[in-house]
Amino acid sequence: MIELRDVWFSYNSGKPIIHGVNLRLSNEITIIIGPNGAGKTTLLKIIACLYKPDKGDVLIDGVNFWKLKSKEKLIMRRKIVYVHENPVLFKGTVMDNVTYPLIIRGHSLEKAREKALKLLKSLKLEYLTDRKRNELSAGEFQLVAIARAIISGAKYIVLDEPTSNLDLEHRIVLESIIREIVKSGKQVIIATHDRLFALKLNTEIIEINNGEIRSILHSKDLYQEIEEFIKKAGKKSLNS
Amino acid sequence: MIELRDVWFSYNSGKPIIHGVNLRLSNEITIIIGPNGAGKTTLLKIIACLYKPDKGDVLIDGVNFWKLKSKEKLIMRRKIVYVHENPVLFKGTVMDNVTYPLIIRGHSLEKAREKALKLLKSLKLEYLTDRKRNELSAGEFQLVAIARAIISGAKYIVLDEPTSNLDLEHRIVLESIIREIVKSGKQVIIATHDRLFALKLNTEIIEINNGEIRSILHSKDLYQEIEEFIKKAGKKSLNS
Amino acid sequence: MSFIGEIIEITIRSVTISLSATILSSLWSIPLSLIIARSRSRMTKALMGVLNSLIGFPTVLVGLFLYIIFSSSGPLGGLGILYTPFAIMIGEALLITPLLISLSYEIFSKAYYEYWETSITLGATPAQAFMKLITERFEDIIVVLLIGFSRAIGELGVALMVGGNIRGFTRVFTTTIALEVSKGNFDIALFLGFILLIIVSTTSAIIRIMGGRKSD
Amino acid sequence: MSFIGEIIEITIRSVTISLSATILSSLWSIPLSLIIARSRSRMTKALMGVLNSLIGFPTVLVGLFLYIIFSSSGPLGGLGILYTPFAIMIGEALLITPLLISLSYEIFSKAYYEYWETSITLGATPAQAFMKLITERFEDIIVVLLIGFSRAIGELGVALMVGGNIRGFTRVFTTTIALEVSKGNFDIALFLGFILLIIVSTTSAIIRIMGGRKSD
Amino acid sequence: YNQSVKIRISTTTSLYATGLLDYLYDEFKENHSNVVVQFIAVGSGAALKLAEQGDVDMVFVHAPNLEADYIKRGIITNHTIFAYNYFIIVGPKSDPAHIANLTPIEAMKSIYNSCENGQALFISRGDQSGTHQRELLLWNLSGLNPFNKSWYIETGSGMSETLLVANEKNAYTISDIGTFLKLKGDGRLPNLVKLVDKGKILINIYSAYIVETAKTNSDTQKVIKSLMKFILSDTGQELIGSFGVDKYGQPLFYPAKGHEDELREIWQWFVDLAK
Ligand SMILES: Nc1ncnc2c1ncn2[C@@H]1O[C@H](COP(=O)(O)OP(=O)(O)OP(=O)(O)O)[C@@H](O)[C@H]1O
Ligand SMILES: Nc1ncnc2c1ncn2[C@@H]1O[C@H](COP(=O)(O)OP(=O)(O)OP(=O)(O)O)[C@@H](O)[C@H]1O
Ligand SMILES: [Mg+2]
Ligand SMILES: [Mg+2]
């Protein structure tokens, strides 16, 4: 379990972006929503132990991360992967990218390739295996970055707006992969604006705004909201 | 009006990505949808006269763009702005970015700033005026790039996945701004995966796949599809 | 003239000549590097390879080559610029050209495509897009120019061969240092080097810090 | 020995010394530049300013300085390396250090953050993240090393002062060229320069083209 | 000549580096405020080469046999000897070849033998400078051939660098007096001492020439003439004789005045010997 205790954070520019957040991420899947600039990305980076809070503690499986020695930090870091909202891929092929987390964990190249190929297939991306990063469409790029993170086998998978460039089919594929992941005791934390995706994942939703937790909802609470929206939009279309 | 006549395009790697597309963009708003890797971005770049087709013609207001001399090309180019799916912002403040298209068109700095501020306000972004590009959230970044394009006053505005990082409120703001733009005789062309946004814009939708036009729909055709999806997802949530 | 007076005079001359040379060279080197960065052919890569290798080309040979051209029996002898500060300036401007092009190329080749395309789609003329690229990479260009200046003021061969190390006229830092070394005045040579170091490094540290303040 | 034989001998010696110097220097310069790129303080900027200005520091002074250290009455006189090819190698490795650090710094300071962060989030150890950065920028590093090599093989001051230009032992390209120029044998000097140019530029063009083939 | 006139003189570095030329020029300027004299200090060979290219109006050198060649080709004329001094043979304090107080030729023979026995090394400038030419002449007159011997080290660089090598390697070498005194005085040559400094064969003759290939006008020619005149004048010659005494405790140069014919003979002797 990941827990934040009274976490404060500000960028160099000064005013705090995260205001005393307390959070226990205990669900298989947690979704974070909130308007642009609410602090979702900042919060995810704190959860992923990339940003050190100005104040407060980040506990990973009960261990206070920022009090660890650097050796222990490394071990802890390997429990968490994070996919940036604008991820970077490394030079080399898609295969090279996807196998990277396995290679650095000491797996043999052969095994890594086998696993990577299986994952790419389940994401319907095997046709990309030998592509370079500059030969991918936006959605393909995003999926490869997600695949690269998932393959690591990390216990906590933190995804920042994973569906922003995905088509309908890939959203469904991603959804089912996430469901599979959590079956093996892993946890997924997702920040997103994609309410349909949030709805489908059918889980707890944390709404933040101005760096504070505003409410904790459940996917079904989104249902009404979206349905109304659709109705309105649909009526307009049908009338035109 | 922009027209494509039997347009073919392939990247260096060889096999054609766009297969003999014929297209007349005559609606105020045109939406292009299609799965990841369908060729939406490629098509938009051809429409925006950034990529030269291997074969076929691109006509802007009846003029064959790629047959023009470079001086005339420039004049023609100013009629079209394009916002990349992963846009880049320039160094300097948000204000510097948004005023750029006006400055290079010879407007005074003062006037440019005035206009930019008005636009930023209507996008609810005035708090970003003096921010640098690395101090923006993903959604803020995308909105600034869109604002920078819109301000140019270009006749054709080509947006590649403009809502991928936007929250609900900004999607509505963007929608209303697009409606305003087209009132003055301008045309907007959008590629997106965001079916709710497409639905709300209530216009013609071109569906492409594998570099070919598969069908031409209308927003209302999406209604049923989405409603079903919601129902299913919603039911699941409610049952859980 | 007093020893100190002479050092001050040499300092001013060296800085003036090398600064002019750097600015002069940037007038062609930066546009050229942009043009090269635009092209992505095999030929360009080979050309950059040649330019890279010219960066360290012995300055005495560059000097010799220019001497032969500027010499009164050479093709440009009629201009009568041999053994003038002007000749050193031209020579240094040419000398640092491969360095400036190579360094600017590295800067632009990365940024070129995205900033160029973005400017163009926003309606910029090619000239405006060029300017945008340059302002976008302004701090980097300043660093390149600083490196070029440092190379120009620190080189010996050209200043010696086409300047002649004439006292009170074309004598610069490095030629003075070489002369003092040949006189066996190692202490004076090291002292002069120390002054040179102070001048160039404080200037460049200040410029970098100032540049850093307003970057991004 | 025949004229041609001597040129071949000098070529082999020059290339060996300067190549070793470049590799040696890269062993500390590249890690150092990474460490500097990590820090983003005002101090770092000032340090880079100083390093930039050292790039063009007169080689004769570097040579003189090293001479004083290596000479039998100097602090490292006991090593007895003065006037050996080894001394030139050490000297050149030090000489090109500011150049290698500055150029590598420019490469890494851009890429540093995103690739570092990405590697770390994927579970890389700091050493693995370092390696990733280096492989990510491999072609650029090769270019930096080429520039360093070109600078090393083209410099005169260090080779002269700590090598001594001893015929058949420490005589390299540039010291030979300087010697021929002082003799008034301008033709031979230019010929030697031409050979040097051919060697360095073909090597570097080939490396760049090859590097280009497998880039991105 | 009313407007300012500029003349250029190429000179060997070692001569210029002593400071003598600037010292003379500063004096000359007193009465010729319109005249600008520019010295280009380069290697001996290069100094003459610049004359051949027509880029200088005069040359000051000390390499008789090189000079003779350029005279023969009509590039330089008006041979004027204006000063002389002595080359010196220097070596390690222990003097393993025992050359102190020997004649130059005997000293060379002794150095050769001692080197062959592995007791000493010899450093040659190997750069065809005036100093190097004289060394070659000494070997030649001794009837010895040191080339390609392992103890015969060619530095191919300037006098100071060569002296430093000799000091470092405890070796013998030949030097001009000015550079040696300067470095010795600075404590840079703790291992070296002056061992032989007498003998006609060690005389180092400094000559001035007018360059024929230069594109001169009448004003320039007038200046060149008056400069030549000044150098040979009593004032000029006195300046040469007294230069450096305050710094080194002994003169670096002797004026040619009074020894013109003798020096010219010796100069010719050197040219003939070198053939
Ligand atoms: N490096 C930075 N320096 C200063 N302010 C920053 C920086 N990065 C982000 N911010 C600001 O912090 C706030 C939170 O940013 P964050 O990226 O966490 O938002 P977000 O919720 O992820 O938004 P989005 O939905 O647009 O991605 C925003 O107002 C943003 O402008
Ligand atoms: N530079 C390139 N070289 C080779 N292939 C490319 C290149 N850029 C894109 N492609 C391929 O061309 C196809 C179309 O790409 P495009 O970016 O147009 O797709 P898209 O419809 O915009 O997809 P997305 O919804 O993911 O953004 C994809 O299969 C992609 O992999
Ligand atoms: Mg975000
Ligand atoms: Mg796309």
Side-chain angles (χ1 to χ4, degrees):
Chain A
M1 195 182 63
I2 298 180
E3 193 180 345
L4 305 194
R5 287 194 189 148
D6 189 29
V7 163
W8 293 75
F9 182 86
S10 61
Y11 290 100
N12 301 335
S13 50
K15 72 157 192 137
I17 298 295
I18 299 295
H19 303 251
V21 163
N22 286 292
L23 201 59
R24 280 166 154 265
L25 301 169
S26 48
N27 287 307
E28 288 178 343
I29 306 174
T30 308
I31 290 176
I32 297 173
I33 62 168
N36 290 132
K40 298 180 296 301
T41 297
T42 313
L43 192 64
L44 287 192
K45 285 192 169 184
I46 292 168
I47 290 170
C49 300
L50 286 169
Y51 287 167
K52 188 180 173 186
D54 300 338
K55 222 190 97 187
D57 296 324
V58 180
L59 286 84
I60 312 290
D61 293 337
V63 180
N64 192 328
F65 183 83
W66 293 103
K67 298 233 162 100
L68 293 176
K69 303 213 185 75
S70 46
K71 270 235 170 120
E72 301 162 331
K73 265 188 193 149
L74 175 68
I75 297 167
M76 207 47 97
R77 269 231 164 85
R78 290 210 163 161
K79 289 191 175 178
I80 315 169
V81 285
Y82 166 75
V83 182
H84 199 280
E85 53 198 339
N86 298 307
V88 300
L89 293 183
F90 299 130
K91 205 166 68 172
T93 62
V94 165
M95 180 53 94
D96 296 336
N97 270 280
V98 179
T99 51
Y100 180 73
L102 297 178
I103 301 291
I104 57 176
R105 281 172 175 78
H107 293 233
S108 78
L109 187 62
E110 226 174 315
K111 267 223 175 119
R113 283 173 172 275
E114 203 178 290
K115 270 196 164 176
L117 207 60
K118 214 178 118 198
L119 178 59
L120 285 173
K121 265 191 193 142
S122 71
L123 282 164
K124 313 206 171 197
L125 295 177
E126 60 283 32
Y127 69 101
L128 294 179
T129 313
D130 295 320
R131 292 273 191 94
K132 303 282 171 68
R133 62 180 164 194
N134 56 347
E135 299 169 351
L136 302 177
S137 79
E140 291 163 349
F141 197 98
Q142 190 165 33
L143 283 163
V144 172
I146 293 170
R148 186 179 60 180
I150 288 175
I151 207 170
S152 66
K155 185 169 168 196
Y156 302 101
I157 293 167
V158 183
L159 305 174
D160 200 354
E161 315 221 13
T163 61
S164 61
N165 288 294
L166 299 194
D167 62 24
L168 217 62
E169 192 187 348
H170 280 112
R171 275 168 218 231
I172 294 167
V173 170
L174 183 62
E175 186 208 326
S176 67
I177 285 184
I178 288 172
R179 294 211 179 284
E180 223 167 86
I181 288 171
V182 296
K183 268 190 204 141
S184 55
K186 291 179 178 137
Q187 253 181 265
V188 179
I189 300 119
I190 299 172
T192 190
H193 292 295
D194 186 344
R195 278 157 198 254
L196 292 182
F197 191 66
L199 180 65
K200 288 207 77 190
L201 283 174
N202 185 21
T203 185
E204 191 177 83
I205 295 179
I206 296 166
E207 192 184 0
I208 72 166
N209 200 358
N210 281 325
E212 280 169 356
I213 295 175
R214 226 176 63 178
S215 56
I216 298 190
L217 321 162
H218 193 276
S219 286
K220 59 191 170 208
D221 302 329
L222 294 180
Y223 179 65
Q224 201 103 25
E225 182 187 336
I226 300 175
E227 189 157 62
E228 248 164 54
F229 178 88
I230 301 285
K231 279 250 169 70
K232 254 199 282 177
K235 223 174 273 159
K236 223 182 339 181
S237 312
L238 293 170
N239 296 346
S240 74
Chain B
M1 197 182 65
I2 298 181
E3 194 181 344
L4 305 193
R5 287 197 189 145
D6 189 29
V7 163
W8 292 75
F9 182 85
S10 62
Y11 289 101
N12 301 333
S13 50
K15 75 160 190 136
I17 298 296
I18 299 296
H19 303 251
V21 164
N22 286 293
L23 202 56
R24 280 164 155 266
L25 302 168
S26 48
N27 289 307
E28 287 178 344
I29 305 173
T30 307
I31 290 176
I32 297 173
I33 63 168
N36 289 134
K40 299 181 296 302
T41 297
T42 313
L43 192 64
L44 287 193
K45 285 193 169 185
I46 291 168
I47 289 170
C49 300
L50 285 169
Y51 286 168
K52 187 179 172 185
D54 300 338
K55 221 190 98 185
D57 296 323
V58 180
L59 285 86
I60 312 292
D61 294 337
V63 180
N64 191 329
F65 182 83
W66 293 103
K67 297 234 162 99
L68 293 176
K69 299 208 187 81
S70 46
K71 271 233 169 124
E72 300 162 329
K73 265 188 192 149
L74 175 67
I75 297 167
M76 207 49 97
R77 272 232 162 84
R78 291 211 163 160
K79 289 191 175 178
I80 315 170
V81 285
Y82 166 76
V83 182
H84 198 278
E85 53 198 338
N86 298 307
V88 300
L89 293 183
F90 300 131
K91 203 167 72 174
T93 62
V94 165
M95 180 54 94
D96 295 337
N97 270 280
V98 178
T99 52
Y100 181 72
L102 297 177
I103 301 291
I104 57 174
R105 281 172 174 79
H107 293 233
S108 78
L109 187 62
E110 228 174 314
K111 268 223 176 121
R113 282 170 174 277
E114 203 178 292
K115 270 196 163 173
L117 206 59
K118 215 179 115 198
L119 179 59
L120 285 173
K121 266 190 192 143
S122 71
L123 282 163
K124 314 205 170 198
L125 295 176
E126 59 286 28
Y127 68 101
L128 294 179
T129 313
D130 295 319
R131 292 274 191 93
K132 303 283 171 67
R133 61 180 165 194
N134 55 347
E135 300 169 350
L136 302 177
S137 80
E140 291 164 348
F141 197 98
Q142 189 165 35
L143 284 163
V144 171
I146 293 170
R148 185 179 61 181
I150 287 175
I151 207 171
S152 67
K155 187 169 167 194
Y156 301 101
I157 293 167
V158 183
L159 305 175
D160 201 354
E161 315 220 15
T163 62
S164 61
N165 287 294
L166 301 194
D167 61 25
L168 217 61
E169 193 188 347
H170 280 111
R171 276 169 217 229
I172 294 168
V173 170
L174 183 63
E175 186 208 327
S176 68
I177 285 185
I178 289 173
R179 293 211 179 286
E180 224 167 84
I181 288 172
V182 296
K183 268 191 204 142
S184 56
K186 289 176 178 139
Q187 253 181 266
V188 179
I189 299 119
I190 299 171
T192 190
H193 292 295
D194 184 345
R195 280 162 196 248
L196 292 181
F197 191 67
L199 180 64
K200 288 206 76 188
L201 282 174
N202 184 22
T203 184
E204 191 176 86
I205 295 178
I206 295 166
E207 192 184 0
I208 73 166
N209 200 356
N210 281 325
E212 279 171 357
I213 295 177
R214 225 177 63 180
S215 57
I216 298 190
L217 322 161
H218 193 275
S219 287
K220 59 191 169 207
D221 301 329
L222 295 180
Y223 180 65
Q224 202 105 22
E225 181 187 337
I226 300 175
E227 191 159 59
E228 246 161 58
F229 178 88
I230 301 284
K231 280 248 170 71
K232 253 196 284 178
K235 222 172 274 159
K236 223 182 336 180
S237 313
L238 293 171
N239 297 346
S240 73
Chain C
M1 204 188 298
S2 70
F3 176 67
I4 294 293
E6 196 157 344
I7 289 182
I8 292 172
E9 184 216 289
I10 288 172
T11 306
I12 294 171
R13 182 180 305 120
S14 299
V15 171
T16 314
I17 291 177
S18 302
L19 203 61
S20 321
T22 310
I23 293 166
L24 181 66
S25 187
S26 71
L27 294 184
W28 58 70
S29 301
I30 291 177
L32 269 174
S33 71
L34 264 167
I35 291 169
I36 298 173
R38 253 187 112 161
S39 139
R40 299 185 160 261
S41 69
R42 186 72 45 99
M43 265 306 290
T44 316
K45 298 230 166 214
L47 176 66
M48 287 314 299
V50 174
L51 279 171
N52 286 165
S53 68
L54 275 170
I55 289 174
F57 199 62
T59 61
V60 59
L61 278 182
V62 181
L64 181 57
F65 186 73
L66 290 169
Y67 162 75
I68 289 169
I69 289 171
F70 292 153
S71 155
S72 58
S73 42
L76 296 183
L79 300 178
I81 60 169
L82 188 66
Y83 301 136
T84 63
F86 188 69
I88 306 181
M89 189 193 75
I90 303 278
E92 288 183 350
L94 292 173
L95 177 79
I96 62 173
T97 295
L99 181 64
L100 293 191
I101 294 184
S102 287
L103 297 183
S104 314
Y105 171 80
E106 296 304 325
I107 289 171
F108 291 130
S109 65
K110 299 278 152 1
Y112 188 81
Y113 195 70
E114 47 182 357
Y115 292 109
W116 179 264
E117 189 186 87
T118 303
S119 299
I120 290 290
T121 58
L122 294 172
T125 63
Q128 286 170 330
F130 262 20
M131 273 316 294
K132 192 74 211 172
L133 256 170
I134 286 171
T135 52
E136 193 63 33
R137 285 279 173 268
F138 189 69
E139 278 83 23
D140 295 314
I141 291 172
I142 292 294
V143 171
V144 168
L145 294 185
L146 278 174
I147 292 176
F149 172 72
S150 153
R151 171 83 170 131
I153 206 169
E155 76 79 36
L156 172 64
V158 170
L160 201 61
M161 296 297 292
V162 303
N165 189 26
I166 296 165
R167 184 165 70 133
F169 186 50
T170 57
R171 184 161 295 175
V172 292
F173 255 115
T174 49
T175 57
T176 316
I177 288 169
L179 180 62
E180 293 302 332
V181 169
S182 82
K183 281 185 192 173
N185 283 330
F186 295 168
D187 305 343
I188 298 182
L190 285 174
F191 175 68
L192 287 170
F194 182 69
I195 295 182
L196 176 64
L197 187 61
I198 297 290
I199 292 173
V200 185
S201 65
T202 40
T203 326
S204 97
I206 290 170
I207 292 178
R208 287 206 81 149
I209 293 174
M210 290 199 327
R213 200 172 292 162
K214 58 187 170 60
S215 96
D216 255 52
Chain D
M1 204 187 299
S2 70
F3 177 67
I4 295 293
E6 196 159 347
I7 289 183
I8 292 173
E9 184 216 290
I10 289 172
T11 306
I12 293 171
R13 182 181 305 121
S14 300
V15 170
T16 313
I17 292 176
S18 302
L19 203 62
S20 322
T22 310
I23 293 167
L24 181 66
S25 186
S26 71
L27 294 184
W28 59 69
S29 301
I30 291 177
L32 269 175
S33 71
L34 264 166
I35 291 168
I36 298 172
R38 253 186 112 162
S39 139
R40 298 186 161 260
S41 70
R42 186 75 42 98
M43 267 305 291
T44 316
K45 298 229 166 214
L47 175 67
M48 288 314 299
V50 174
L51 280 171
N52 286 164
S53 68
L54 275 169
I55 289 174
F57 198 63
T59 60
V60 58
L61 280 181
V62 181
L64 183 56
F65 186 73
L66 290 170
Y67 161 77
I68 289 171
I69 289 171
F70 291 153
S71 86
S72 55
S73 46
L76 297 183
L79 300 179
I81 60 168
L82 191 63
Y83 303 133
T84 63
F86 188 68
I88 306 181
M89 188 193 75
I90 303 278
E92 287 183 350
L94 292 173
L95 177 80
I96 63 172
T97 294
L99 181 65
L100 293 192
I101 294 184
S102 287
L103 297 183
S104 315
Y105 172 79
E106 296 305 325
I107 288 171
F108 291 129
S109 65
K110 299 279 153 358
Y112 188 80
Y113 195 70
E114 47 183 356
Y115 291 109
W116 179 264
E117 191 187 86
T118 302
S119 299
I120 290 290
T121 59
L122 293 173
T125 64
Q128 286 171 331
F130 262 19
M131 272 317 293
K132 191 76 212 172
L133 257 170
I134 286 171
T135 51
E136 193 64 32
R137 284 278 174 269
F138 189 68
E139 278 83 23
D140 295 313
I141 290 172
I142 292 295
V143 170
V144 169
L145 295 185
L146 278 174
I147 292 176
F149 172 72
S150 152
R151 172 82 170 130
I153 206 170
E155 78 79 37
L156 172 64
V158 170
L160 199 61
M161 295 300 293
V162 303
N165 190 24
I166 294 168
R167 187 167 165 207
F169 187 49
T170 57
R171 184 159 295 177
V172 293
F173 253 115
T174 48
T175 54
T176 314
I177 289 168
L179 176 59
E180 294 303 331
V181 169
S182 85
K183 284 184 191 172
N185 290 334
F186 294 172
D187 308 344
I188 297 182
L190 286 175
F191 175 68
L192 287 170
F194 182 70
I195 295 182
L196 176 63
L197 187 63
I198 296 290
I199 292 172
V200 185
S201 65
T202 40
T203 325
S204 100
I206 289 170
I207 292 177
R208 285 207 82 148
I209 293 176
M210 288 197 331
R213 201 171 292 161
K214 58 188 170 61
S215 96
D216 254 51
Chain E
Y1 49 95
N2 296 319
Q3 327 131 264
S4 83
V5 180
K6 187 176 72 187
I7 64 167
R8 284 192 186 131
I9 303 173
S10 63
T11 155
T12 58
T13 315
S14 58
L15 175 58
Y16 183 78
T18 60
L20 175 69
L21 299 180
D22 282 337
Y23 180 69
L24 287 174
Y25 169 47
D26 287 345
E27 212 47 51
F28 179 71
K29 227 169 20 186
E30 300 282 305
N31 299 318
H32 299 81
S33 51
N34 278 345
V35 176
V36 176
V37 178
Q38 300 183 331
F39 293 106
I40 319 284
V42 287
S44 300
L48 289 161
K49 189 82 182 178
L50 296 191
E52 184 180 351
Q53 293 271 328
D55 291 317
V56 291
D57 306 304
M58 297 177 75
V59 264
F60 290 181
V61 272
H62 67 139
N65 52 332
L66 283 185
E67 295 158 28
D69 180 44
Y70 280 82
I71 293 172
K72 211 165 71 194
R73 287 159 59 199
I75 293 164
I76 52 178
T77 59
N78 291 53
H79 181 196
T80 308
I81 298 173
F82 63 94
Y84 71 99
N85 59 14
Y86 292 90
F87 289 112
I88 55 173
I89 304 177
V90 301
K93 271 190 222 135
S94 58
D95 191 13
H98 305 290
I99 63 163
N101 299 321
L102 294 185
T103 67
I105 302 293
E106 280 169 353
M108 294 308 279
K109 287 180 180 159
S110 189
I111 290 171
Y112 185 92
N113 290 332
S114 150
C115 287
E116 284 289 82
N117 294 334
Q119 291 158 335
L121 296 171
F122 185 88
I123 314 288
S124 166
R125 276 183 63 175
D127 64 349
Q128 261 144 57
S129 60
T131 315
H132 181 225
Q133 304 275 348
R134 189 59 54 89
E135 177 216 315
L136 296 180
L137 185 60
L138 283 166
W139 289 120
N140 198 1
L141 290 179
S142 320
L144 298 168
N145 180 5
F147 311 113
N148 299 323
K149 299 282 189 191
S150 62
W151 49 264
Y152 184 78
I153 297 169
E154 289 179 68
T155 63
S157 42
M159 198 67 248
S160 350
E161 291 90 348
T162 304
L163 281 168
L164 293 178
V165 176
N167 177 65
E168 205 64 31
K169 297 200 176 282
N170 270 305
Y172 290 96
T173 193
I174 298 192
S175 173
D176 66 285
I177 184 78
T179 315
F180 177 76
L181 287 179
K182 172 68 198 149
L183 285 174
K184 185 77 188 163
D186 287 351
R188 298 271 174 215
L189 305 175
N191 304 330
L192 294 188
V193 290
K194 179 172 76 177
L195 294 165
V196 179
D197 64 350
K198 292 191 186 63
K200 180 175 151 189
I201 191 72
L202 291 183
I203 288 184
N204 181 16
I205 296 171
Y206 292 96
S207 307
Y209 295 90
I210 294 176
V211 175
E212 285 303 309
T213 35
K215 294 180 190 104
T216 48
N217 56 33
S218 60
D219 279 356
T220 321
Q221 273 161 7
K222 265 187 235 161
V223 173
I224 292 171
K225 291 262 157 62
S226 57
L227 182 62
M228 280 287 209
K229 218 189 267 166
F230 170 76
I231 292 170
L232 293 178
S233 70
D234 290 347
T235 340
Q237 289 288 299
E238 250 166 57
L239 288 171
I240 290 172
S242 62
F243 176 74
V245 176
D246 47 343
K247 254 199 227 159
Y248 303 99
Q250 67 178 85
L252 294 184
F253 301 94
Y254 302 108
K257 199 164 195 78
H259 309 282
E260 286 93 346
D261 295 343
E262 203 183 331
L263 286 170
R264 186 167 281 277
E265 244 171 58
I266 298 172
W267 185 90
Q268 190 60 49
W269 179 58
F270 284 140
V271 173
D272 295 340
L273 280 176
K275 277 174 191 160

